């Protein structure tokens, strides 16, 4: 006779539902362990109040210093910082499955046509769908590098807020590739308004964006850099991603894109360089010397055939960088695994480097390092007193994590989104066992499927590769 399989996952529902779903607080959370900057710590608790970590320390000590708080015990769970996606395009979610194996500069053939086919409802739905996928993958912050939909960027802000995710929201400031005479003053005026628009917003943080350096005039590149630096914001730019773009810059300026940005004074701590897959040793030095940040996007490199950014060299040089999905797939654990794996394949095998940064490097840059790269280092990315309470509860009783010898590396190599019990942003539970709290996730997915079909069929998208089914039929017929 078959025996029923016992549910070995600790049942947290009663305590969490009673104490946390209402979002009132303050809370004293007592998991089995907390992932601190120096590593996992047993017997540690956190106090969450007003959306922030009010205190982090030994559980017994916090129990004594906060006698009015009933401990919410979280057996079998690790409390860790939420992942930070340092490079995303939220309004491209309808086409994420179109990006496999396409040659370089896919944005010209897929993303520009697709985003141009979105109206306000479809742009909102696409952005919220991307935010839901990100939350399901343990991301508590996403950096959106701007969009070309033509709708008000506040539509994307509303989608992020409604989903409950923290968003660094880029406003595209291109003024050299529109077919119209450049008007830098007009672009910079819009940038000033955008930076002011979200001051004090608890979840949305304004950023500026330029598609690629060649898409903006030099006055605009210098102006956005100055505005962002003054506001403590970022300018997101795709830099040195494709060989074709590097070659166009060499022909036009006699310098590679990153060198050109340095020459005109646009590098600096305010710049977030997306991809940076094609870097010379000199350009690595420029990044380190100027404090420029990078978004290392390993899955995008694999899916789109780009080179792999030299992230281990960046780490050794002290270059600031985070990890980004580029909208490929929203799973923080798989992203960290890809970050290590890509370094091993691209660089480690040839040099006999069996570590390639080890697990802690990629976990660090997926959380605290990513927060620093997107300009939120003082606000999120770590479990410590003061920053926002953006965190995950990860079940460590499963076969992949229960036999633990080196938890940070195991999270990188053996972690996955299925192990995430809950996701919190600004102290509020936003996701419980894969489903959003407070709104209907499955209904959104159904509506997104309807809208995506219309948008993709109506957009003049050009793909090099056929679907796998069509490719198989073609190859079989040969």
């Amino acid at each position: 006779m078959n025996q029923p399989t016992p549910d070995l996952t600790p049942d947290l529902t009663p305590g969490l539902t009673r104490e946390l779903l209402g979002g009132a607080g303050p809370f004293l959370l007592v998991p089995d362990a907390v992932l601190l900057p120096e590593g996992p710590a047993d017997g540690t608790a956190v106090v969450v109040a007003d959306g922030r970590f009010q205190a982090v320390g030994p559980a017994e000590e916090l129990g004594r210093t906060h006698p009015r708080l009933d401990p919410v015990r979280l057996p079998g769970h690790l409390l860790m910082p939420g992942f930070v996606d340092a490079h995303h395009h939220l309004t491209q979610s309808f086409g994420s499955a179109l990006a496999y194996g396409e040659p370089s500069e896919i944005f010209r053939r897929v993303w520009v046509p697709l985003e141009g086919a979105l109206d306000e409802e479809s742009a909102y739905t696409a952005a919220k769908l991307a935010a839901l996928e990100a939350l399901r993958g343990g991301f508590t912050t996403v950096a959106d590098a701007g969009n070309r939909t033509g709708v008000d960027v506040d539509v994307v802000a509303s989608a992020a807020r409604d989903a409950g995710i923290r968003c660094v929201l880029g406003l595209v400031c291109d003024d050299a590739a529109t077919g119209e005479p450049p008007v830098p003053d007009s672009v910079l005026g819009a940038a000033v308004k955008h930076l002011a628009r979200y001051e004090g917003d608890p979840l949305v943080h304004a950023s500026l964006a330029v598609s690629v350096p060649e898409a903006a005039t030099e006055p605009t590149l210098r102006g956005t850099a100055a505005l962002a630096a003054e506001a403590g914001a970022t300018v997101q730019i795709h830099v040195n991603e494709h060989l074709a773009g590097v070659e166009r810059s060499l022909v036009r300026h006699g310098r590679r894109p990153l060198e050109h940005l340095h020459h005109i004074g646009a590098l600096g701590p305010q710049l977030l360089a997306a991809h940076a897959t094609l870097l010379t040793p000199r350009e690595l030095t420029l990044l380190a010397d100027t404090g420029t940040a990078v978004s290392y996007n390993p899955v995008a490199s694999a899916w789109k055939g780009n080179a792999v950014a030299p992230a281990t060299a960046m780490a050794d040089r002290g270059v600031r960088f985070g990890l980004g999905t580029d909208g490929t797939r929203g799973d923080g654990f798989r992203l960290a695994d890809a970050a290590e794996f890509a370094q091993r394949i691209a660089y480690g095998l040839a040099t006999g480097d069996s570590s390639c940064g080890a697990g802690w490097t990629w976990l660090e840059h997926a959380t605290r390092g990513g927060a620093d790269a997107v300009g939120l280092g003082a606000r999120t990315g770590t479990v410590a007193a003061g920053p926002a309470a953006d965190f995950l509860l990860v079940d460590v009783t499963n076969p992949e994590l229960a036999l633990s010898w080196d938890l940070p590396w195991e999270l990188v190599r053996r972690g996955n989104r299925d192990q995430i019990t809950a996701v919190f942003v600004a102290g509020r539970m936003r996701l419980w066992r894969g489903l959003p709290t407070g709104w209907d996730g499955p209904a959104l997915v159904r509506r997104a499927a309807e809208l995506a079909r219309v948008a993709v069929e109506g957009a003049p998208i050009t793909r090099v590769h056929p679907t796998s089914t069509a490719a198989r039929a073609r190859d079989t017929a040969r």
Side-chain angles (χ1 to χ4, degrees):
M1 180 183 296
N2 292 330
Q3 297 294 322
T5 302
D7 183 1
L8 300 180
T9 303
D11 186 3
L12 305 182
T13 307
L16 285 176
T17 300
R18 181 181 68 253
E19 301 290 342
L20 301 178
L21 277 175
F27 310 115
L28 172 58
L29 306 181
V30 188
D32 279 1
V34 176
L35 188 62
L36 301 176
E38 59 270 23
D42 297 336
T44 301
V46 303
V47 175
V48 175
D50 299 322
R52 297 184 174 276
F53 291 116
Q54 186 182 83
V56 178
E60 291 186 1
E61 177 182 321
L62 292 189
R64 290 194 302 269
T65 56
H66 297 81
R68 296 185 178 181
L69 298 182
D70 293 329
V72 179
R73 303 196 179 277
L74 307 167
H77 280 75
L78 169 76
L79 190 153
M80 64 172 284
F83 292 113
V84 175
D85 187 343
H87 184 63
H88 205 317
H89 296 273
L90 295 176
T91 54
Q92 293 179 0
S93 65
F94 287 177
S96 294
L98 298 173
Y100 312 121
E102 289 290 303
S104 70
E105 298 197 328
I106 188 175
F107 71 93
R108 297 179 185 274
R109 295 176 288 103
V110 176
W111 302 131
V112 171
L114 176 58
E115 288 184 302
L118 302 182
D119 59 16
E120 187 168 306
E121 181 191 5
S122 54
Y124 171 90
T125 304
K128 194 171 182 181
L129 180 72
L132 174 57
E133 183 185 355
L135 287 169
R136 282 169 45 82
F139 291 102
T140 52
T141 297
V142 293
D144 180 80
N147 69 83
R148 309 172 187 87
T149 62
V151 305
D152 189 336
V153 72
D154 198 52
V155 170
V156 178
S158 296
R161 280 195 217 97
D162 293 348
I165 200 166
R166 191 176 301 281
C167 179
V168 177
L169 182 62
L171 175 73
V172 174
C173 298
D174 297 354
D175 69 340
T178 62
E180 300 293 332
V183 187
D185 289 346
S186 175
V187 172
L188 296 179
V192 170
K193 293 178 181 178
H194 178 73
L195 291 173
R197 188 175 191 176
Y198 298 101
E199 288 183 4
D201 194 299
L203 290 182
V204 180
H205 312 276
S207 169
L208 305 179
V210 173
S211 299
V212 289
E214 63 193 277
T217 60
E218 292 186 13
T220 292
L221 290 170
R222 284 192 292 267
T224 53
L227 288 173
E230 182 180 358
T234 60
V235 182
Q236 304 179 58
I237 309 181
H238 298 76
V239 178
N240 288 45
E241 180 184 5
H242 301 295
L243 182 59
V246 172
E247 292 175 340
R248 284 195 299 270
S249 182
L250 285 168
V251 170
R252 181 177 181 181
H253 302 293
R255 302 179 188 87
R256 296 160 64 86
L258 192 71
E259 293 174 331
H260 177 61
L261 290 175
H262 177 63
H263 177 73
I264 65 174
L267 291 191
Q270 80 289 337
L271 181 65
L272 175 56
H275 298 286
T277 58
L278 301 166
L279 296 177
T280 64
R282 179 176 184 271
E283 287 172 317
L284 277 170
T285 300
L286 288 178
L287 290 171
D289 288 351
T290 60
T292 299
V294 170
S295 176
Y296 164 39
N297 311 322
V299 181
S301 289
W303 283 21
K304 298 190 294 182
N306 299 329
V308 175
T312 47
M314 291 181 194
D316 289 341
R317 296 281 196 98
V319 175
R320 301 166 53 229
F321 72 92
L323 308 186
T325 66
D326 197 22
T328 51
R329 63 178 178 229
D331 189 323
F333 288 116
R334 291 189 70 186
L335 178 64
D337 181 36
E340 183 200 16
F341 188 76
Q343 293 302 299
R344 182 176 304 280
I345 296 299
Y347 305 105
L349 292 180
T351 60
D353 182 358
S354 60
S355 172
C356 290
W360 69 267
T361 299
W362 312 113
L363 201 59
E364 165 75 13
H365 287 280
T367 54
R368 185 168 56 167
D372 172 60
V374 304
L376 299 182
R379 189 182 296 263
T380 188
T382 189
V383 180
D390 299 345
F391 64 94
L392 315 177
L393 296 179
V394 179
D395 177 9
V396 292
T397 66
N398 52 75
E400 296 82 12
L401 298 177
L403 306 181
S404 178
W405 313 111
D406 183 348
L407 185 57
W409 208 336
E410 289 151 11
L411 290 170
V412 170
R413 291 187 160 187
R414 295 171 65 82
N416 65 74
R417 63 156 43 120
D418 294 340
Q419 299 152 353
I420 300 172
T421 297
V423 177
F424 291 76
V425 180
R428 290 186 55 192
M429 187 191 294
R430 311 292 181 164
L431 198 84
W432 169 252
R433 289 182 174 163
L435 292 173
T437 59
W439 57 279
D440 192 339
L444 174 81
V445 174
R446 290 192 296 271
R447 183 56 177 156
E450 296 171 353
L451 294 172
R453 189 174 299 108
V454 174
V456 171
E457 289 177 353
I461 293 171
T462 303
R463 294 185 69 206
V464 172
H465 294 291
T467 65
S468 58
T469 302
R472 173 179 291 185
R474 179 195 63 191
D475 294 343
T476 302
R478 286 178 179 174

